[in-house]
């Protein structure tokens, strides 16, 4: 019996199955427990990689206790499509940006479609000067709401004079504003919503929000638990092993599977510059690639050894099979010879019994001086020997046949011929 602990979103299902069961039977049980169709379900966490529904659990050589997880990419795709649809509606709307120049006590109203980025605004036409500007940016309230607007300051520093400022706190900016967690009602929706029903929905929202902010070119986000991500990244063929990154504000952890263990390859702080970040990522990739090539080489050598061993085992098995068949054929031949010999002996014993019975049933040989007519017959056998006996003239021809048969020449195997003229008298058993 094998124990399975299957995770799906916030649920955990405990299963116990015989090792003779199939992967498809696990999915059918999970379909009842999780209300997820088998066709939409991907069962992950197998140490041997992806398996088919018809695979026997016995063939996977599993331990007694196993941890698996369920992915539903088709269902996730539906949720992502809904989120992207809402995002597309937002991009098609027009926004009014109100920029307040506090020193000049002057407002600038700029209209932009939702798909336009902040960098594309033409600020030179507004008459503001460098290097630092206190701008208040917020979305105009709808007519149905109260005209109360909360705005946050956005500080802009020119490239030419930016070196003069070492700390953003000189301009009254706190750390929360630098990291985008200010109290402004004008900021974008959170990356991870607080009202998500489960982890998967939150991660789907995060992926959609990240794509809307920074474009579709981004790392692949794993929808699932940390344990499931570890199973997906580290267990399988060496060529399929990957690193994965864990973001936990304000740290970025690069985790790599190293043969039988996992290790944190690098920890990147939140204040790291872009160039340093790229260098660390490239260094991690180089270390991982070197380790992966070594693991691939070891795995190929191990598989080659296992292949040679399998071929030797197969050759040995075929040799044993050939010897077994040869031995069985020899035993069969010997048994057939014994059977034939036994049949031959039984036939000989039967013939001998018939011969003796015929010999005992023969009438006594008459004397030469008997008063009746006597015939003396001389019979040559195939070996050249002669059989001689006297018979009464009144005897039937069958007595002659019985005499010949009693000497070992039964009627079924031999014919009785006259010398001249040559006639076959065997057919005249009845006188």
């Amino acid at each position: 019996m094998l124990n399975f602990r299957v995770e799906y979103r916030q649920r955990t299902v405990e299963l116990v199955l015989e090792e003779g069961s199939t992967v498809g039977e696990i999915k059918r049980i999970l379909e009842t427990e999780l209300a997820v169709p088998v066709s939409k379900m991907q069962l992950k966490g197998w140490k041997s990689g992806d398996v088919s529904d018809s695979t026997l659990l016995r063939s996977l050589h599993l331990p007694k206790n196993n941890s698996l997880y369920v992915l539903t990419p088709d269902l996730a795709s539906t949720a992502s499509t809904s989120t992207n649809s809402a995002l597309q509606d937002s991009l098609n709307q027009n926004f009014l940006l109100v920029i307040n120049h506090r020193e000049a006590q002057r407002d600038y109203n700029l209209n932009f479609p939702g798909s336009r980025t902040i960098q594309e605004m033409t600020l030179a036409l507004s008459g503001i000067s460098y290097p630092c500007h206190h701008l208040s940016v917020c979305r105009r309230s709808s007519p149905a709401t109260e005209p109360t607007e909360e705005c946050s300051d956005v500080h802009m520093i020119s490239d030419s004079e930016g070196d003069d400022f070492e700390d953003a706190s000189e301009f009254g900016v706190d750390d929360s504003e630098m990291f985008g967690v200010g109290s402004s009602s004008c900021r974008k929706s959170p990356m991870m919503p607080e009202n998500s029903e489960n982890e998967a929905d939150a991660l789907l929202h995060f992926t959609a929000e990240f794509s809307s902010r920074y474009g579709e070119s981004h790392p692949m986000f794993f929808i699932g638990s940390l344990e499931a991500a570890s199973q997906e990244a580290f267990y399988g063929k060496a060529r399929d092993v990957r690193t994965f990154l864990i973001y936990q504000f304000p740290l970025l952890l690069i985790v790599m599977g190293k043969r039988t263990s996992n290790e944190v390859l690098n920890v990147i702080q939140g204040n790291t510059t872009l160039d340093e970040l790229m260098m660390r990522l490239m260094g991690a990739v180089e270390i991982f690639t070197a380790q992966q090539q070594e693991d691939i080489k070891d795995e190929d050598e191990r598989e080659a050894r296992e292949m040679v061993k399998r071929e030797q085992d197969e050759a040995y098995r075929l040799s044993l099979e050939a010897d077994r068949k040869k031995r069985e054929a020899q035993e069969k031949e010997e048994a057939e010879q014994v059977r034939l010999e036994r049949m031959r002996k039984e036939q000989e014993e039967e013939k001998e019994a018939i011969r003796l019975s015929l010999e005992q049933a023969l009438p006594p040989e008459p004397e030469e001086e008997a008063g009746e007519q006597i015939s003396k017959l001389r019979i040559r056998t195939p070996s050249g020997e002669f059989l001689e006996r006297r018979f009464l003239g009144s005897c039937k021809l069958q007595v002659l046949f019985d005499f010949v048969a009693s000497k070992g020449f039964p009627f079924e195997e031999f014919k009785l011929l006259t010398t001249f003229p040559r006639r076959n008298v065997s057919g005249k058993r009845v006188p």
Side-chain angles (χ1 to χ4, degrees):
M1 304 300 292
L2 300 176
N3 300 323
F4 293 91
R5 185 174 184 269
V6 184
E7 294 184 359
Y8 176 65
R9 297 185 176 179
Q10 299 297 326
R11 295 191 58 185
T12 300
V13 180
E14 302 285 346
L15 303 176
V16 180
L17 290 92
E18 295 181 353
E19 63 177 2
S21 305
T22 63
V23 175
E25 293 179 41
I26 298 180
K27 287 188 175 182
R28 285 190 286 275
I29 296 175
L30 293 176
E31 181 179 29
T32 303
E33 294 291 334
L34 303 176
V36 176
V38 172
S39 60
K40 305 290 186 181
M41 184 188 307
Q42 292 185 5
L43 194 56
K44 299 289 187 178
W46 306 103
K47 298 185 183 302
S48 57
D50 291 340
V51 297
S52 64
D53 290 355
S54 60
T55 302
L56 289 174
L57 300 179
R58 182 185 297 109
S59 64
L60 300 177
H61 307 290
L62 299 172
K64 182 175 180 60
N65 299 311
N66 301 270
S67 295
L68 304 175
Y69 60 96
V70 173
L71 296 182
T72 53
D74 292 344
L75 299 179
S77 176
T78 303
S80 178
T81 301
S82 176
T83 303
N84 290 335
S85 176
L87 176 63
Q88 187 62 40
D89 293 341
S90 177
L91 290 175
N92 293 332
Q93 294 178 356
N94 291 324
F95 293 86
L96 174 64
L97 300 183
V98 179
I99 304 176
N100 174 255
H101 189 184
R102 292 180 176 179
E103 295 180 357
Q105 295 296 316
R106 183 178 179 183
D107 292 338
Y108 303 92
N109 299 331
L110 301 177
N111 289 284
F112 291 96
S115 58
R116 187 71 64 84
T117 62
I118 297 297
Q119 288 89 340
E120 292 174 341
M121 291 190 302
T122 308
L123 299 180
L125 299 177
S126 62
I128 60 178
S129 59
Y130 291 99
C132 179
H133 313 283
H134 299 264
L135 307 178
S136 298
V137 181
C138 61
R139 185 185 301 181
R140 174 173 292 179
S141 302
S142 62
T145 61
E146 294 295 330
T148 58
E149 298 178 348
E150 296 182 0
C151 304
S152 62
D153 292 342
V154 179
H155 300 272
M156 304 180 61
I157 303 174
S158 67
D159 294 337
S160 59
E161 302 183 30
D163 295 337
D164 296 336
F165 307 99
E166 297 181 356
D167 191 349
S169 62
E170 297 180 11
F171 300 96
V173 182
D174 59 14
D175 293 340
S176 62
E177 292 184 0
M178 293 178 63
F179 287 94
V181 293
S183 59
S184 172
S185 63
C186 305
R187 68 175 186 270
K188 300 180 180 179
S189 60
M191 299 294 288
M192 299 287 284
E194 298 179 357
N195 58 348
S196 294
E197 296 182 358
N198 51 58
E199 261 184 27
D201 291 342
L203 292 172
L204 288 172
H205 183 279
F206 175 85
T207 302
E209 182 65 23
F210 193 97
S211 300
S212 67
R213 292 190 188 186
Y214 309 111
E216 295 296 333
S217 180
H218 57 71
M220 183 189 73
F221 297 109
F222 184 83
I223 309 299
S225 64
L226 180 60
E227 181 180 358
S230 177
Q231 290 278 346
E232 184 78 11
F234 300 145
Y235 295 99
K237 294 288 186 180
R239 289 179 173 82
D240 300 330
V241 171
R242 292 164 289 175
T243 60
F244 71 86
L245 282 70
I246 303 175
Y247 176 68
Q248 186 175 7
F249 180 82
L251 302 177
L252 184 64
L253 286 72
I254 305 175
V255 185
M256 180 181 75
K258 190 174 182 181
R259 295 183 179 176
T260 58
S261 63
N262 305 330
E263 67 175 24
V264 177
L265 189 61
N266 207 329
V267 178
I268 302 176
Q269 302 291 336
N271 57 357
T272 302
T273 63
L274 179 59
D275 291 340
E276 186 178 356
L277 170 65
M278 294 302 298
M279 290 186 65
R280 290 196 181 187
L281 291 176
M282 293 170 63
V285 170
E286 291 179 359
I287 295 174
F288 167 73
T289 302
Q291 181 65 54
Q292 185 183 40
Q293 293 302 320
E294 184 178 347
D295 292 344
I296 291 174
K297 180 181 178 182
D298 293 342
E299 186 176 73
D300 290 343
E301 292 177 352
R302 183 173 63 256
E303 290 181 352
R305 290 194 299 270
E306 292 176 353
M307 177 65 72
V308 172
K309 185 177 182 301
R310 286 195 296 270
E311 291 175 353
Q312 292 175 345
D313 293 343
E314 181 64 14
Y316 180 67
R317 187 189 66 80
L318 293 176
S319 177
L320 291 178
E321 184 70 14
D323 292 343
R324 184 186 63 80
K325 291 181 178 180
K326 183 178 179 181
R327 183 171 61 255
E328 289 178 353
Q330 184 177 359
E331 292 175 353
K332 185 177 180 180
E333 183 179 358
E334 293 176 353
E336 182 66 15
Q337 291 177 356
V338 170
R339 187 184 68 82
L340 294 176
E341 182 65 19
R342 184 174 63 253
M343 290 180 60
R344 186 185 64 78
K345 288 183 179 180
E346 291 175 354
Q347 292 174 357
E348 289 180 356
E349 292 174 354
E350 183 180 0
K351 289 180 181 179
E352 181 63 16
I354 294 174
R355 188 191 70 77
L356 291 175
S357 65
L358 291 175
E359 187 176 39
Q360 294 173 1
L362 285 174
E365 184 179 6
E367 300 292 338
E368 293 182 358
E369 294 82 5
E372 296 186 31
Q373 183 180 1
I374 297 175
S375 298
K376 186 177 182 180
L377 300 179
R378 189 182 187 201
I379 305 169
R380 189 177 66 180
T381 65
S383 62
E385 298 178 357
F386 289 93
L387 303 175
E388 294 184 0
R389 193 183 192 279
R390 294 183 296 275
F391 297 90
L392 293 174
S394 60
C395 286
K396 295 182 179 181
L397 191 58
Q398 184 65 45
V399 177
L400 174 60
F401 295 151
D402 293 344
F403 168 72
V404 175
S406 68
K407 297 300 180 181
F409 305 100
F411 172 76
E412 293 82 4
E413 300 179 13
F414 297 92
K415 294 187 294 185
L416 192 60
L417 305 175
T418 61
T419 54
F420 186 81
R422 190 178 183 87
R423 289 186 304 163
N424 181 5
V425 298
S426 302
K428 301 180 179 181
R429 301 187 65 180
V430 180

